Amino acid sequence: MRIGLSINYAGGFKDVAADVADLERAGLDVVFVPEAYSFDAVSALGYLAASTERVELASGILQLYTRTPTLTAMTAAGLDYVSDGRFILGLGASGPQVIEGFHGVPYDAPIGRTREAIEICRQVWRRERVQYQGKYYTVPLPPERGTGLGKPLKLINKPVRERIPILIAALGPKNVELAAEIAEGWQPIFYLPEKAGDVWGEALAAGRAKRDPALGDLEVYAGPSLAIGENVEPLREFVKPHLALYIGGMGAKGKNFYHALATKYGYGPQADRIQELYLSGDKEGAAKVVPDELVRDINLIGSPGFVKERVAAFREAGVTTLTVAPIAGSLAERVKLIEELRGLVD
């Protein structure tokens, strides 16, 4: 099982780069760079490529709607080049709050667009002349939609790899099925090992049934918060505002993916109350309603024995990478946590 870490996208990545180099030496395997509405992820990934040696670098995630598929492919090939073949292309639809609210682009057909974008990316990496006729993307544009001067082109540079690993962030059953069918990896959120099969088992099985064996086994990336030690359980309270934000605030009633996930986990009444409080402006009250059991089970916060047991549960549920969020106040503490987790994982 590998260990990953997602950097804080709200800060400056120059300082983070030095931290990642130390974490790499502590046993970190992959670092994720998010992209929401702060600095772009690509700049940070390029910066990290120059300041690290072994750790894999992943976009976590590049938003599906904000780049054309060919630009996404070019960007991934460039990052794979500057990192000497260490890049993982994390793709996802994000949500309408960011896509429509910040980018002013319609949030439509995430599943169909994801499939087509990936198919186009792989054409680009194989250095084929890109010719694609899809429902959502057509390359090159036909004369009736453009000047008529466009012609099929192929990537000038030869990529380091013609198959850069693709990781899809997905929650809904159709999108999860798609990830299991066509991607090298799948990144869920708030992964609860004991309930994951009930929520996603059918979708994963359906996707795997159509999977090309050349893709290999599906990698599963879970993202728990991390704190190891005696009497660290009170730190679970720090996770609750984050959960309340997603369950309560990431979408209107009936259109919140994370609320739906909490409901499927068996916390429907609590999810309703969290959403009610959050949307009314009572964020603190919403955080207090987040169930202790949910926080306990989706995270790695507890004694070494507890964390070891939870690591085993994640592994048993099929997780191959733990993309942790260390709860620590200093780089030294984060490095220590990664070293401790390395010992428990191995």
Side-chain angles (χ1 to χ4, degrees):
M1 182 178 280
R2 300 192 306 162
I3 299 174
L5 179 144
S6 183
I7 70 170
N8 182 0
Y9 58 77
F13 49 77
K14 289 184 178 181
D15 295 333
V16 171
D19 294 357
V20 171
D22 287 339
L23 291 163
E24 178 183 43
R25 288 188 286 271
L28 188 69
D29 297 302
V30 55
V31 60
F32 284 79
V33 180
E35 185 171 77
Y37 43 99
S38 183
F39 291 140
D40 71 292
V42 178
S43 298
L45 286 160
Y47 198 92
L48 285 169
S51 57
T52 56
E53 297 177 357
R54 177 191 58 81
V55 70
E56 289 187 287
L57 307 172
S59 54
I61 57 171
L62 294 189
Q63 298 155 2
L64 186 65
Y65 300 90
T66 58
R67 297 171 177 86
T68 65
T70 44
L71 176 58
T72 297
M74 292 165 60
T75 300
L79 289 169
D80 206 43
Y81 171 74
V82 298
S83 66
D84 296 320
R86 291 184 285 137
F87 180 61
I88 299 170
L89 175 58
L91 281 176
S94 186
Q97 296 88 345
V98 174
I99 300 305
E100 295 184 356
F102 189 67
H103 294 283
V105 177
Y107 185 89
D108 67 335
I111 298 170
R113 288 186 181 276
T114 300
R115 180 184 291 276
E116 293 188 10
I118 290 174
E119 290 173 351
I120 293 170
C121 281
R122 287 174 173 159
Q123 277 194 25
V124 172
W125 299 332
R126 292 192 297 265
R127 297 193 72 228
E128 299 173 0
R129 294 191 182 276
V130 181
Q131 299 185 72
Y132 192 87
Q133 178 67 54
K135 183 176 180 180
Y136 306 102
Y137 301 106
T138 301
V139 185
L141 276 180
E144 62 270 19
R145 291 177 55 193
T147 64
L149 300 175
K151 60 180 181 180
L153 299 172
K154 67 178 181 180
L155 191 69
I156 293 173
N157 308 82
K158 184 177 180 180
V160 175
R161 294 178 290 176
E162 71 168 28
R163 171 155 276 172
I164 296 170
I166 292 175
L167 170 67
I168 297 178
L171 284 181
K174 291 298 183 183
N175 222 353
V176 171
E177 180 180 335
L178 180 70
E181 178 190 350
I182 69 172
E184 282 83 0
W186 167 52
Q187 183 182 28
I189 194 171
F190 307 143
Y191 191 90
L192 203 168
E194 289 81 2
K195 299 286 184 68
D198 296 336
V199 176
W200 293 302
E202 289 186 10
L204 290 169
R208 284 175 169 137
K210 297 177 284 186
R211 186 176 180 83
D212 183 347
L215 289 171
D217 293 336
L218 182 70
E219 299 285 332
V220 180
Y221 296 73
S225 293
L226 175 68
I228 304 173
E230 303 300 334
N231 304 314
V232 299
E233 288 80 6
L235 294 177
R236 293 172 184 169
E237 295 298 315
F238 287 96
V239 179
K240 289 186 176 182
H242 180 69
L243 280 164
L245 166 64
Y246 278 78
I247 296 170
M250 287 292 189
K253 289 185 178 180
K255 297 184 178 181
N256 182 320
F257 311 131
Y258 313 101
H259 175 281
L261 177 61
T263 299
K264 290 177 182 177
Y265 280 163
Y267 297 105
Q270 296 94 324
D272 289 344
R273 183 59 177 157
I274 292 167
Q275 188 175 61
E276 178 185 356
L277 290 167
Y278 203 97
L279 294 179
S280 71
D282 186 1
K283 298 178 182 180
E284 184 176 343
K288 291 179 180 179
V289 180
V290 174
D292 293 337
E293 297 83 0
L294 177 62
V295 176
R296 178 195 65 202
D297 293 342
I298 67 174
N299 294 300
L300 299 174
I301 303 174
S303 67
F306 171 84
V307 171
K308 187 172 184 177
E309 289 177 2
R310 295 310 296 159
V311 166
F314 278 95
R315 181 184 282 116
E316 179 66 22
V319 171
T320 56
T321 300
L322 292 167
T323 307
V324 297
I327 302 176
S330 68
L331 171 61
E333 291 173 330
R334 289 191 291 275
V335 167
K336 182 181 178 182
L337 282 173
I338 295 299
E339 289 175 338
E340 289 179 320
L341 182 60
R342 181 84 274 164
L344 296 174
V345 165
D346 294 341

